[in-house]
Amino acid sequence: MKPKNYSPTEKPISVVTGKFRSSNKHSNVWFVVPLFILLCFILLCFDYSALYITDTEETASSFSDTTQKSLSREPTKDVNFSRLLDDPLPDSCSGRYIYLHDLPGRFNSDLLQSCSLITRGTENNICPYLDNFGFGPEIMDPDNVLLKQSWFSTNQFMLEVIFHNKMKKYTCLTHNSSLASAVFIPFYAGIDMSRYLWGFNISVRDSSSHELMDWLVKQREWSRMSGRDHFFVAGRIAWDFRRQTDNESDWGSKLRFLPESQNMSMMSIESSSWNNDYAIPYPTCFHPSSVDEISEWQDRMRSQKRMYLFAFAGAPRPEYKDSVRGKIIDECLESDDQCYLLDCNYGKVNCDNPVNVMKVFRNSVFCLQPPGDSYTRRSMFDSILAGCIPVFFHPGTAYAQYKWHLPKNHKSYSVYLPVKDVKEWDIKIKERLLEISEERVVRLREEVIKLIPSVVYANPSYGSEGNEDAFELAVKGMLEKIEEVREMMRQGKDGGEGFDDRDDYKYTFSPYEAQVLT
């Protein structure tokens, strides 16, 4: 057969040498270089990040969320990719990632849009308190009692809104739920329930709770730990969500007794007897934007001259037969000029205005903190802000509550005068406080002032620089609790063991007898 004659552009290529074949062997043109460039282009276009972003926690935890985004956005940077493989950067968010669920609006934002319904049946208008990240309107302070631009008229029930806005700025927030050590549920449980506290049957009060649980269990994140890595924040006391019967006359909702909710953790301004309820501080009116602002305020309180031995801000509770408030008010009135009584009864003084409260507390050595409508009260955190040593009468007011935010050694920052039965009241408050040496008073006050950063919810722009605020300490505590459950599961144990058990003992006087002033 006669061989075919090829034109110069048609000559076949040898797959071995990469040269054009030529019958006369005149022309030797290399093709390897363009072929190599083509192969490199294909490899560089391949998305390496897909190799590492998976649904398994073990693989995902190798890279930070920021690193993943960088790899996805810039797939052609093979130099950076090689550096990550050879010398991976430490992940400062390892073990701290939180996934923020994007809930349907009916569980949070829609509630704020209809804020006029939140306090239906009362004379209070809650809407202005939603301004400034939930901090409320800025305080007018012509007397310079407070630090300008750091104090707001904050409603004590706005914790859900404040915490959610802080979480949006959380350093280790991730959009990849497989990275997350915890899942945050931004459900405004307290605001939702506040709409139905008066004049509504239990099915209405419980409706949002049922709807939320139905939604959550359908999400892929739920199956990983059956919800035990999920948590939410409530701006009311935990007891408001633990209605134990279906009697229409009983108070609150049944949220925390729903089976799915029992697998979750809740942080609120006051905990209950159940182990998966945790107390975090009430929102005060001080929301600093920097560490310098906190330091400036602390210095003010250290140098403050205090005219009164002790003070009480509040009103009697005659409707509560076991309340010690009446006795405290009597003793204060009998103490002449050594006690300052700020009477909050029937609107005599606006005790929600921090200017009025700080004027009293900053001028007092000790601040009396009896239980209020429940065990706890915001006033105890106001006293800490003022450098006023808190005096407690029941362990449920602080010692059994804020374990992530207050020292375990309660005697280091407070005075404890237990009253087990008001009928047996035999405390002479003034005499007991006068027994405390000046040296110890100075130590107690300094410890109280040091606590200020840990009990404030700082502006979302706040850089803690080692001084963690109440939000950061709460998140840290919750992550540690969830990790304990995760470790149990790794060991093959039941992660639900003791998770939602009840512990009434912590509210009794016995565990705290060593804290009594001697």
Side-chain angles (χ1 to χ4, degrees), residues 235-361:
R236 301 184 66 92
I237 67 173
W239 302 98
D240 287 350
F241 308 98
R242 287 194 176 274
R243 191 189 72 245
Q244 300 191 46
T245 76
D246 287 333
N247 296 331
E248 296 288 348
S249 60
D250 284 356
W251 177 264
S253 80
K254 211 171 186 177
L255 168 62
R256 296 298 283 143
F257 286 124
L258 299 182
E260 301 86 358
S261 180
Q262 289 177 325
N263 281 11
M264 298 165 58
S265 297
M266 180 179 78
M267 297 190 288
S268 61
I269 55 178
E270 178 179 318
S271 66
S272 69
S273 297
W274 280 264
N275 290 341
N276 56 343
D277 287 343
Y278 302 92
I280 60 178
Y282 281 75
T284 66
C285 295
F286 183 36
H287 306 287
S289 297
S290 68
V291 174
D292 288 342
E293 287 186 7
I294 290 182
S295 297
E296 182 181 350
W297 180 257
Q298 288 175 308
D299 289 341
R300 272 202 199 186
M301 295 305 102
R302 287 188 179 100
S303 61
Q304 179 68 41
K305 302 298 182 184
R306 299 178 187 265
M307 300 168 54
Y308 302 98
L309 176 64
F310 62 108
F312 174 63
R317 289 287 189 270
E319 64 273 26
Y320 299 125
K321 63 179 181 178
D322 295 327
S323 176
V324 300
R325 288 188 172 211
K327 299 290 187 181
I328 286 173
I329 291 172
D330 290 343
E331 286 213 20
C332 188
L333 292 173
E334 293 170 2
S335 297
D336 300 322
D337 58 351
Q338 290 189 291
C339 178
Y340 194 114
L341 174 63
L342 184 63
D343 191 351
C344 303
N345 199 23
Y346 303 114
K348 288 183 178 180
V349 178
N350 182 6
C351 292
D352 290 329
N353 187 331
V355 174
N356 297 330
V357 175
M358 285 296 126
K359 280 182 178 179
V360 175
F361 285 0

Side-chain angles (χ1 to χ4, degrees), residues 396-461:
T397 305
Y399 304 156
Q401 301 284 347
Y402 309 100
K403 298 189 176 182
W404 297 334
H405 297 80
L406 300 178
K408 186 175 182 180
N409 179 10
H410 312 304
K411 295 177 74 172
S412 68
Y413 72 95
S414 67
V415 173
Y416 181 41
L417 303 176
V419 180
K420 299 180 181 180
D421 190 340
V422 69
K423 301 184 190 69
E424 300 175 1
W425 177 276
D426 60 353
I427 297 176
K428 299 298 181 183
I429 298 174
K430 183 176 73 172
E431 285 75 5
R432 297 295 296 276
L433 297 180
L434 286 171
E435 292 173 0
I436 303 175
S437 68
E438 182 62 28
E439 182 183 3
R440 187 181 174 208
V441 167
V442 171
R443 289 200 309 269
L444 287 169
R445 183 184 302 124
E446 181 59 26
E447 288 303 313
V448 169
I449 292 173
K450 286 179 181 178
L451 288 175
I452 292 175
S454 66
V455 300
V456 297
Y457 294 93
N459 187 292
S461 64

Side-chain angles (χ1 to χ4, degrees), residues 193-211:
M193 192 182 68
S194 295
R195 301 181 299 166
Y196 307 122
L197 283 176
W198 296 277
F200 291 88
N201 61 38
I202 58 173
S203 61
V204 173
R205 280 182 267 160
D206 295 341
S207 59
S208 294
S209 301
H210 285 289
E211 291 172 8

Side-chain angles (χ1 to χ4, degrees), residues 44-80:
L44 289 171
C45 289
F46 182 74
D47 186 3
Y48 287 101
S49 64
L51 294 172
Y52 295 90
I53 303 177
T54 71
D55 289 335
T56 60
E57 186 173 349
E58 290 79 4
T59 305
S61 62
S62 300
F63 292 90
S64 71
D65 201 37
T66 304
T67 303
Q68 293 176 57
K69 290 178 182 177
S70 175
L71 291 174
S72 298
R73 283 197 305 268
E74 301 175 319
T76 61
K77 293 189 176 180
D78 54 326
V79 175
N80 288 343

